[in-house]
Amino acid sequence: MSIIFNEKTREFHLFNDNISYIIKIFKNEQLGHLYFGKKVRHRESFEHLLKTRQRADTPYPFEDDPTFSLDNVLQEYPTYGTSDFREPAVHIWQEDGSRITNFKYKSYRIFNGKPKLKELPAVYVEKAEEAVTLEIILEDTYINAELYLLYTIFEEYDTVVRSARLVNKGSQKLNIESVMSMSVDFLDGEFEMLHLSGVWARERELKVRRVEQGIQSVSSTRGASSAVQNPFMALKRYGTKEHNGEVYGFSLVYSGSFLAQVEMDYDRQARVSMGINPFDFKWLLQGGEEFQTPEVVMVYSDKGLNGMSHIYHDLYRNRLIRGVWRDKTRPILINNWEATYFDFDEDKIVQIAKTSKELGLELFVLDDGWFGKRNNDKSSLGDWFANGEKLPNGIKGLAERIVELGMQFGLWFEPEMISKNSMLYEKHPDWVLCVKGRNKSFGRNQYVLDFSRKEVVNYIYEMMAKILKDAQITYIKWDMNRNMTEIGSLALPAERQGEVAHRYILGVYSLYERLTSEFPHILFESCAGGGGRFDPGLLYYAPQTWTSDNTDAVERLKIQYGTSMVYPLSCMGSHVSASPNHQILRDTPLETRANTAYFGTFGYELDVNKLSEEEKEEVRAQIKFFKEYREFIHSGDFYRLLSPFDREDEFTAWAVVSKDKQEALVGLYQVLAKANLGFFKLRLVGLNPEYEYIVEGREETYFGDELMNIGLVFNKQYIEEGIKKFRKDFTSQLIKIKSKF
Ligand code: DGJ
């Protein structure tokens, strides 16, 4: 891994063993882009990669060189108004009404390591030698502003991480209309765009569309990254599949409204840009102030979508997730939400916890309904003290009883919200996000607290910290159940109202930062009405995210498959819930529910006291199995084998393979049974071709190359034994594979 700057040709080459990223300072002093992709050898000059050409209809900045137009050269951080008609990365209104900017090269710095981003989550290094960073400073002397572009390349991970910082060095007011985290141009646009879109209970479905001339984008205006669009986008070559082909991934480390877009121009060149959504965003940068964008993790893989996912999984579990829980074995939890909803008291909870303990569960999580006067979702958010009627001994008393049983205790909060019917609202009605003179829309009967205000964040911190200091709590589920409307703050002047949504997210991050540093032993799981804020920004603080409120095993195949495009299994909250399922009323076997939930953090969310003795026995065995396999599942490589999106009524399959390739665990799932199925074979991926493997339940052994090239054949044995299992809908099978050595 290295970054080389060639003074003569004024080119930067960032590379590690697998990828290259090449930047050139143009003759007009703006920053040009030459290449991003599979590694190319370093050479004295990459000048020949610079493609300029004269067109009758393109403007050009130099009178004597009509071949050089910003409209068709590849750029690093394009600006508006100086011969480029594509989308700029930055757009600033100035005091004289101009929106033209012209950021020219000033200087650079190359250093080992990766700096922290002020107030924002970011991937990190533990040792400076893990990565090298290039900081390029550009300046627009006319408006007296500087732009700091950061590029970090890692030794271990095939990624270039980018962000931008804008500094107002002068005295005029700069109104930032947009400031993207990154922009990168590709010489061609022969790509398909892949994104993760959905809605509550159907989060992160895979969508693929052809990149065509014009702009294609995904975005959120909800004040949260959202269940509807994830802050991720990939460009893949036609024909790229799970295990082969080229793909570029772009993942924004941010939890608020975002924009990810690709623009294909008349030359069929593609421009990708990503960052805070410019829609409804405005930031006033006074003299001396600076604005830091969130960062984008750009990944390149020539090993297909799985290859891309492995880079994200490894990077995010090793260098985004932080704290003691990054490397610690995750507890198997039981959550009372679907067991009781709001209808519980201390004894009922302890009864559930008692049985849970007997079954082998390790952590009891008390969900919504424990505070204020909360008996339904219409009241008490903001009143973070125990409901005396339900919990006469408070959270402290309940936690003691749970801990006495030999379990850990976890608690649900929804810190960013406020109910109209709450003591907090009576006292501080002005602490709500709203616009003076306008109606305040509800969402799930609640308002959003104005987290752009420091005093609001401080107040919530104090209330939470009091409980966390008082009671033995080792886990927090941080929920967030509605999106923002009437975005405004009563504490900010008119000229800063466009800043509220971003300031809010900074407020959320600051509360997370305070709580995680003050209570480092607590495991945080973020949640947003299911998976409505499943993003890298929150993973920095909370190592786990609740994947979806939809716990139906069949639906979860798609949800977990899509989520795994970017996010590792160790962060994917996944529970076994009751049957029929509460979201879609489907009956599925207990075995399939567990076989799906194993490929995540694993836990239960049902009333264990309602299980039959037989079911309890099965649950005991499941928990025992997961205790044996969890470290392996959470640290291994995840391979998607058969997609539920391609084969709706047939098989879905995935597998975890240990890093040393000694062990694999395959999950095979059938949605709808079919009569008279023929032979079936499942080709595995990621094994060592030389190793001889034992497949549980089979007499013969197989070499890795057989399992990968021929596949695991379900022939006579499958028909006689396996088919019995697969003759029903919603069936599944785990296949345990171990090398002989
Ligand atoms: C939405 C979450 O996704 C659920 O798991 C549960 O915590 C409810 N909120 C509680 O209100």
Side-chain angles (χ1 to χ4, degrees):
M1 156 206 67
S2 182
I3 300 177
I4 297 175
F5 179 57
N6 183 332
E7 298 273 352
K8 223 164 79 212
T9 57
R10 307 215 297 169
E11 292 163 359
F12 297 95
H13 185 188
L14 297 75
F15 60 88
N16 66 16
D17 287 346
N18 300 314
I19 60 171
S20 280
Y21 192 102
I22 308 172
I23 301 168
K24 181 174 187 63
I25 303 164
F26 282 152
K27 64 190 236 176
N28 72 342
E29 300 298 320
Q30 286 191 358
L31 214 53
H33 176 80
L34 294 183
Y35 175 72
F36 173 36
K38 197 177 169 94
K39 188 187 177 177
V40 292
R41 80 193 57 208
H42 184 69
R43 51 190 289 177
E44 267 313 292
S45 165
F46 288 105
E47 183 75 28
H48 56 287
L49 295 178
L50 177 60
K51 302 275 180 260
T52 59
R53 68 193 180 106
Q54 183 172 5
R55 295 177 62 103
D57 54 352
T58 46
Y60 43 94
F62 298 108
E63 191 177 356
D64 60 350
D65 185 4
T67 66
F68 183 81
S69 169
L70 291 164
D71 198 29
N72 53 34
V73 289
L74 309 187
Q75 292 169 73
E76 278 303 317
Y77 203 78
T79 54
Y80 169 71
T82 58
S83 79
D84 187 355
F85 297 106
R86 293 165 291 178
E87 289 278 303
V90 60
H91 193 213
I92 302 171
W93 274 82
Q94 297 137 47
E95 281 182 356
D96 63 0
S98 162
R99 287 91 54 222
I100 313 290
T101 48
N102 193 352
F103 284 98
K104 294 183 172 177
Y105 174 76
K106 183 180 178 193
S107 61
Y108 78 96
R109 243 173 11 112
I110 293 172
F111 51 92
N112 282 345
K114 177 175 187 294
K116 285 187 166 184
L117 299 188
K118 199 170 159 221
E119 297 180 281
L120 285 167
V123 295
Y124 59 89
V125 291
E126 284 201 328
K127 292 192 196 109
E129 312 83 70
E130 291 175 12
V132 51
T133 296
L134 164 67
E135 179 185 74
I136 301 181
I137 306 175
L138 308 174
E139 66 180 345
D140 182 330
T141 46
Y142 188 73
I143 58 170
N144 213 349
E146 281 182 352
L147 195 55
Y148 289 69
L149 301 184
L150 275 192
Y151 300 79
T152 301
I153 185 158
F154 281 80
E155 172 79 40
E156 286 275 309
Y157 312 100
D158 296 337
T159 175
V160 174
V161 183
R162 288 188 55 181
S163 64
R165 180 160 57 95
L166 190 60
V167 184
N168 185 349
K169 308 279 278 187
S171 53
Q172 75 157 306
K173 287 181 181 177
L174 299 178
N175 267 302
I176 308 172
E177 301 261 305
S178 84
V179 54
M180 303 307 278
S181 298
M182 53 70 65
S183 176
V184 66
D185 288 345
F186 291 87
L187 198 57
D188 72 301
E190 304 311 313
F191 291 110
E192 286 174 317
M193 167 182 173
L194 180 148
H195 49 102
L196 304 173
S197 309
V199 67
W200 174 80
R202 260 193 303 111
E203 295 91 341
R204 290 170 298 287
E205 295 182 343
L206 291 188
K207 309 280 176 191
V208 178
R209 51 174 136 147
R210 194 190 169 97
V211 173
E212 257 311 333
Q213 192 167 343
I215 294 179
Q216 284 121 106
S217 67
V218 289
S219 64
S220 164
T221 54
R222 296 165 178 269
S225 48
S226 91
V228 180
Q229 303 291 357
N230 197 259
F232 166 76
M233 182 174 86
L235 289 190
K236 67 184 192 72
R237 294 291 179 190
Y238 299 123
T240 291
K241 295 270 188 302
E242 285 289 10
H243 309 294
N244 51 48
E246 279 197 312
V247 56
Y248 295 86
F250 303 89
S251 167
L252 180 67
V253 187
Y254 189 58
S255 311
S257 297
F258 72 93
L259 172 68
Q261 73 177 26
V262 51
E263 174 173 16
M264 195 211 265
D265 67 5
Y266 52 75
D267 264 343
R268 298 192 70 75
Q269 298 184 147
R271 167 171 295 174
V272 174
S273 50
M274 206 170 195
I276 295 174
N277 196 341
F279 174 76
D280 202 40
F281 167 87
K282 200 174 220 156
W283 196 278
L284 171 62
L285 206 63
Q286 305 264 25
E289 289 180 350
E290 57 180 52
F291 184 87
Q292 172 66 57
T293 72
E295 69 183 20
V296 171
V297 178
M298 310 195 311
V299 156
Y300 168 81
S301 168
D302 61 351
K303 296 187 179 59
L305 298 174
N306 262 276
M308 172 192 73
S309 302
H310 287 173
I311 300 168
Y312 280 122
H313 292 183
D314 286 344
L315 180 70
Y316 285 177
R317 62 186 162 187
N318 298 326
R319 293 293 179 263
L320 176 65
I321 291 169
R322 303 176 298 165
V324 290
W325 284 102
R326 183 188 70 184
D327 305 318
K328 223 169 140 175
T329 305
R330 305 292 172 76
I332 308 179
L333 66 82
I334 170 98
N335 178 303
N336 75 307
W337 178 240
E338 289 197 1
T340 66
Y341 294 103
F342 295 102
D343 181 19
F344 62 82
D345 59 20
E346 188 178 301
D347 285 338
K348 195 169 179 180
I349 292 298
V350 173
Q351 284 319 312
I352 297 177
K354 235 183 200 159
T355 311
S356 305
K357 171 68 191 167
E358 279 162 26
L359 296 174
L361 287 155
E362 298 165 316
L363 163 69
F364 185 91
V365 178
L366 181 62
D367 210 279
D368 194 355
W370 59 266
F371 50 93
K373 296 195 181 111
R374 186 128 162 132
N375 290 313
N376 53 42
D377 61 16
K378 292 194 171 58
S379 86
S380 304
L381 292 168
D383 297 343
W384 299 113
F385 48 84
N387 176 322
E389 275 173 33
K390 290 182 183 176
L391 305 173
N393 302 303
I395 288 296
K396 186 173 193 268
L398 174 63
E400 269 164 18
R401 287 183 72 185
I402 305 281
V403 172
E404 262 165 34
L405 293 173
M407 291 189 93
Q408 299 164 48
F409 179 69
L411 194 59
W412 179 96
F413 283 95
E414 195 174 359
E416 302 155 64
M417 297 292 152
I418 180 166
S419 303
K420 192 172 176 189
N421 180 7
S422 67
M423 286 163 62
L424 183 61
Y425 189 74
E426 261 173 47
K427 217 165 129 199
H428 294 291
D430 56 322
W431 278 12
V432 172
L433 280 189
C434 63
V435 175
K436 213 170 172 195
R438 298 275 177 196
N439 178 48
K440 293 195 275 287
S441 300
F442 289 94
R444 206 201 189 200
N445 304 301
Q446 65 204 42
Y447 295 139
V448 183
L449 274 174
D450 182 358
F451 260 44
S452 74
R453 295 170 73 154
K454 289 219 161 41
E455 68 274 30
V456 176
V457 176
N458 285 344
Y459 177 87
I460 297 296
Y461 167 79
E462 293 300 341
M463 293 216 91
M464 291 176 78
K466 189 163 181 286
I467 296 172
L468 300 180
K469 280 178 192 153
D470 198 37
Q472 301 176 62
I473 294 172
T474 55
Y475 166 103
I476 285 181
K477 178 174 172 187
W478 177 321
D479 206 346
M480 194 286 289
N481 278 295
R482 65 156 291 183
N483 292 145
M484 295 177 190
T485 53
E486 292 91 21
I487 301 176
S489 169
L490 297 180
L492 284 173
E495 55 186 7
R496 290 202 178 272
Q497 289 297 321
E499 301 173 11
V500 174
H502 180 58
R503 285 184 185 274
Y504 174 100
I505 294 295
L506 294 180
V508 171
Y509 290 154
S510 73
L511 183 56
Y512 258 118
E513 187 65 46
R514 266 179 96 175
L515 290 169
T516 48
S517 4
E518 183 129 348
F519 306 97
H521 64 285
I522 293 182
L523 171 63
F524 282 77
E525 178 155 344
S526 76
C527 171
R533 220 167 42 178
F534 203 130
D535 59 60
L538 286 185
L539 280 185
Y540 180 73
Y541 306 99
Q544 299 185 179
T545 305
W546 181 225
T547 310
S548 175
D549 276 347
N550 190 344
T551 49
D552 170 67
V554 174
E555 292 281 282
R556 273 297 184 119
L557 294 176
K558 281 189 182 162
I559 297 169
Q560 292 178 204
Y561 194 98
T563 304
S564 78
M565 254 323 129
V566 186
Y567 307 100
L569 302 190
S570 60
C571 73
M572 248 190 249
S574 53
H575 300 169
V576 172
S577 59
S579 187
N581 174 269
H582 290 199
Q583 288 74 39
I584 62 167
L585 305 178
R586 185 174 4 233
D587 267 311
T588 53
L590 183 52
E591 184 185 24
T592 295
R593 282 175 270 153
N595 284 350
T596 312
Y598 290 146
F599 293 85
T601 58
F602 195 62
Y604 289 79
E605 185 158 343
L606 43 73
D607 189 345
V608 280
N609 288 322
K610 291 194 177 136
L611 295 173
S612 67
E613 280 314 311
E614 229 178 20
E615 285 172 323
K616 280 187 187 160
E617 224 17 76
E618 201 176 334
V619 167
R620 253 183 222 112
Q622 292 172 348
I623 293 169
K624 188 164 170 277
F625 164 80
F626 195 71
K627 282 181 182 167
E628 197 184 318
Y629 272 81
R630 61 183 151 186
E631 274 105 2
F632 154 78
I633 290 174
H634 290 165
S635 65
D637 289 329
F638 183 64
Y639 288 92
R640 293 178 297 269
L641 301 175
L642 298 176
S643 168
F645 294 97
D646 291 347
R647 315 161 65 97
E648 299 250 338
D649 57 350
E650 286 184 48
F651 292 103
T652 292
W654 52 44
V656 173
V657 179
S658 62
K659 289 276 179 196
D660 61 9
K661 301 190 184 297
Q662 299 278 5
E663 209 173 334
L665 179 72
V666 180
L668 179 61
Y669 311 84
Q670 174 183 258
V671 177
L672 296 181
K674 278 211 168 90
N676 201 9
L677 267 184
F679 292 152
F680 169 72
K681 67 178 185 175
L682 178 66
R683 283 170 71 163
L684 304 185
V685 188
L687 301 175
N688 186 323
E690 305 298 326
Y691 287 0
E692 192 177 352
Y693 290 97
I694 300 164
V695 178
E696 195 188 62
R698 297 193 178 214
E699 273 166 29
E700 63 275 26
T701 57
Y702 304 83
F703 283 96
D705 57 358
E706 288 176 65
L707 291 172
M708 294 192 290
N709 300 334
I710 302 171
L712 195 58
V713 183
F714 294 79
N715 44 25
K716 196 163 173 291
Q717 180 181 8
Y718 165 66
I719 294 188
E720 284 171 4
E721 295 164 24
I723 197 76
K724 278 187 222 131
K725 187 169 227 173
F726 283 108
R727 254 163 72 183
K728 279 200 197 127
D729 294 343
F730 320 131
T731 41
S732 64
Q733 193 181 340
L734 283 188
I735 303 162
K736 297 176 189 164
I737 298 174
K738 273 200 174 115
S739 104
K740 264 182 100 174
F741 313 103

